[in-house]
Amino acid sequence: MSMFVVQPQETARYGASTGDAGNNWYMGQAPIASTESFRILFEGLVGRNSLGNIAIDDISIAPGVCPTAPQVAATGPGDCSFEDDECGWSNPEQRDAVDELDWERKSAVDGGRFPLNDHTTGNDDGFYMQVSRDSIQRAGDRAF
């Protein structure tokens, strides 16, 4: 999983993580210093087998230094817990041809494989975004 901050003149990569992280939620943070408009892009990269899962929950964007808490999304622009909808976050269009997989809003109740509980609600009723498992995944496939 990686996060990119895309600006007109540069793209910066933050928080690259790989390998087995178990069935747990982990918090990631990235400082963004920009006076220009920017986009945030999340990349989920499929490993060698289809046993894993990549999911995102509770995005917060706030001015100032990255806080150590709360780990639940706030109510500012771009923030999202994915409990009601995707909050304007979207997959690239297929015609853009930048990735092979899509992110989709899921719940453990819907038969999501992992995680078993939502980060926000702490139970299986909540929602999060995960890399789609509807298409065949090959090592190196990406979801932006």
Side-chain angles (χ1 to χ4, degrees):
M1 167 76 77
S2 295
M3 185 190 93
F4 296 86
V5 176
V6 181
Q7 298 181 61
Q9 302 301 319
E10 71 176 306
T11 299
R13 181 180 184 177
Y14 297 94
S17 61
T18 60
D20 185 0
N23 187 23
N24 300 301
W25 288 105
Y26 294 96
M27 187 171 107
Q29 297 178 339
I32 302 170
S34 179
T35 56
E36 300 180 31
S37 295
F38 60 87
R39 291 185 314 143
I40 297 174
L41 183 136
F42 293 97
E43 176 190 37
L45 184 63
V46 174
R48 293 186 185 138
N49 62 45
S50 62
L51 299 177
N53 191 33
I54 302 167
I56 298 173
D57 200 2
D58 298 333
I59 297 171
S60 288
I61 302 171
V65 178
C66 289
T68 56
Q71 291 187 14
V72 175
T75 57
D79 297 350
C80 192
S81 67
F82 303 108
E83 297 309 312
D84 298 318
D85 58 21
E86 291 86 0
C87 313
W89 291 88
S90 63
N91 289 296
E93 296 293 328
Q94 188 173 5
R95 68 176 178 267
D96 294 335
V98 295
D99 63 359
E100 298 78 27
L101 305 169
D102 284 332
W103 292 97
E104 59 187 7
R105 185 171 168 261
K106 290 296 255 177
S107 170
V109 172
D110 295 336
R113 182 170 172 191
F114 292 108
L116 299 176
N117 290 323
D118 174 63
H119 178 264
T120 310
T121 64
N123 60 45
D124 62 1
D125 291 331
F127 289 86
Y128 49 86
M129 299 297 287
Q130 78 172 30
V131 172
S132 174
R133 300 187 66 78
D134 291 339
S135 57
I136 297 172
Q137 297 179 356
R138 293 181 295 275
D141 282 356
R142 299 167 302 163
F144 284 113

